[in-house]
Amino acid sequence: MRDYILMTDSCCDMTAQLAEELDLTVLPLSLEMGGATYRNYLDGRELAFADFYRRVRAGETATTSAINVGEFEAAMRPVLESGKDVLCLCFSSALSTTYQSAVIAAQEMQEAYPEGTVYVVDTLCASLGQGLLAYLCARQKQAGKSLEELRDYAEATKGSICHWFTVDDLNHLKRGGRISAATALFGSMLSIKPVLHVDDGGHLVAVSKSRGRRASLTALVDRMEQTAIEPAKQTVFISHGDCLEDAQFVAGEIRRRMGVEDIRINYIGPVIGNHAGPGTVALFFVGTKR
């Protein structure tokens, strides 16, 4: 049986240290801001996360770019040449063209290296939801799963990765076309905070509304309590848009209410943070349904 590597992209939003521990190959998406292009590395080497959010709060805007076919080919080729195969876990196809680029690259590489195998999985996940799936897959790889077994595990598990989040500033969702200008205006005036999730098709969907910040954060924990599978035994991920204290509040509630011990917190990277905005808090866990 040939050895293989596990590849993903920087929208997984995990720490660089964790990605290294899991032996993940992580390709960066890109962000253009202030006339410069930055690659979204997990360690923030080209654009520090706190600096990105500071600039957004100051009124700067940015555009994001998916990973292109050539970049995937450049990452896959040396792996196949070394005699290993590739399993690539991609950012949701409903939110980016990264998955489509990976599929095209995989087809090209299969033709060039017919003895090798490249599988691409559309995770239908985002941020640390994608990170959680990559984490679980890496643990399964460490346990000895074959390439095909791990591909099947990823496909079977991705629909159970629950994503619940809330945003602080509705205007970022308005700019991204997620809500109307009127909804953003009146929601801001009334301190309405939407509670959203990523659905089975990998789309961002507004589910409910809360009056006030604390209520919206508590609503995330409520959702987890309703659907999480044996929460106390899980590793739970929380990502945030430069609002660590709010993320820590959510973590504290999860520990208090469900006895969860292993909770990992990290920034929402600039690519996703550009659309969600500062003040976003997102919660990820394994549940009975999304």
Side-chain angles (χ1 to χ4, degrees), residues 14-290:
M14 64 173 58
T15 64
Q17 179 180 350
L18 180 57
E20 184 177 357
E21 290 172 3
L22 298 174
D23 200 22
L24 294 173
T25 297
V26 184
L27 277 62
L29 279 79
S30 300
L31 181 93
E32 185 173 324
M33 191 177 202
T37 298
Y38 305 93
R39 284 172 291 184
N40 179 198
Y41 287 108
L42 297 185
D43 59 6
R45 72 186 76 161
E46 293 193 3
L47 179 60
F49 303 144
D51 287 343
F52 164 75
Y53 284 106
R54 174 185 55 77
R55 292 170 66 175
V56 171
R57 287 189 174 103
E60 285 195 64
T61 58
T63 57
T64 58
S65 299
I67 301 168
N68 63 41
V69 174
E71 290 168 324
F72 272 117
E73 289 181 348
M76 293 173 177
R77 183 176 289 107
V79 177
L80 294 166
E81 287 179 346
S82 72
K84 296 181 181 180
D85 296 324
V86 178
L87 176 60
C88 186
L89 306 173
C90 291
F91 183 32
S92 174
S93 63
L95 302 173
S96 171
T97 59
T98 294
Y99 167 72
Q100 286 82 359
S101 294
V103 169
I104 295 169
Q107 293 169 345
E108 296 288 340
M109 291 297 96
Q110 287 281 195
E111 292 177 8
Y113 302 93
E115 72 285 357
T117 302
V118 180
Y119 291 129
V120 181
V121 174
D122 180 1
T123 67
L124 303 176
C125 294
S127 190
L128 272 175
Q130 179 182 336
L132 178 55
L133 181 62
Y135 171 85
L136 295 172
C137 285
R139 292 299 190 209
Q140 291 295 318
K141 182 178 185 296
Q142 292 169 346
K145 270 191 166 38
S146 70
L147 176 67
E148 286 74 20
E149 287 172 336
L150 193 59
R151 174 203 58 192
D152 294 345
Y153 171 84
E155 292 287 1
T157 305
K158 67 186 186 184
S160 301
I161 304 296
C162 300
H163 304 53
W164 288 98
F165 67 103
T166 187
V167 301
D168 193 42
D169 184 351
L170 294 170
N171 287 306
H172 291 280
L173 292 177
K174 180 195 73 176
R175 281 195 293 271
R178 302 296 173 188
I179 61 174
S180 69
T183 298
L185 174 62
F186 288 111
S188 298
M189 289 171 59
L190 298 172
S191 192
I192 297 297
K193 308 297 182 184
V195 175
L196 308 94
H197 81 143
V198 174
D199 68 10
D200 291 336
H203 304 87
L204 301 182
V205 179
V207 176
S208 62
K209 300 174 184 176
S210 298
R211 178 67 69 85
R213 178 67 164 177
R214 185 56 58 91
S216 69
L217 297 173
T218 301
L220 305 181
V221 185
D222 294 341
R223 293 289 182 171
M224 179 176 173
E225 199 166 41
Q226 292 164 12
T227 63
I229 299 170
E230 296 185 304
K233 298 179 180 179
Q234 288 197 38
T235 295
V236 173
F237 285 0
I238 300 172
S239 59
H240 66 92
D242 200 36
C243 51
L244 179 59
E245 288 186 3
D246 288 336
Q248 290 172 333
F249 168 78
V250 172
E253 286 297 290
I254 291 169
R255 291 190 178 98
R256 182 180 67 82
R257 290 166 57 173
M258 286 168 269
V260 179
E261 295 184 1
D262 191 4
I263 301 177
R264 316 288 181 93
I265 299 174
N266 195 36
Y267 272 101
I268 297 171
V271 168
I272 294 179
N274 185 54
H275 300 285
T280 300
V281 176
L283 169 63
F284 309 95
F285 57 92
V286 177
T288 54
K289 61 179 181 178
R290 282 198 172 185

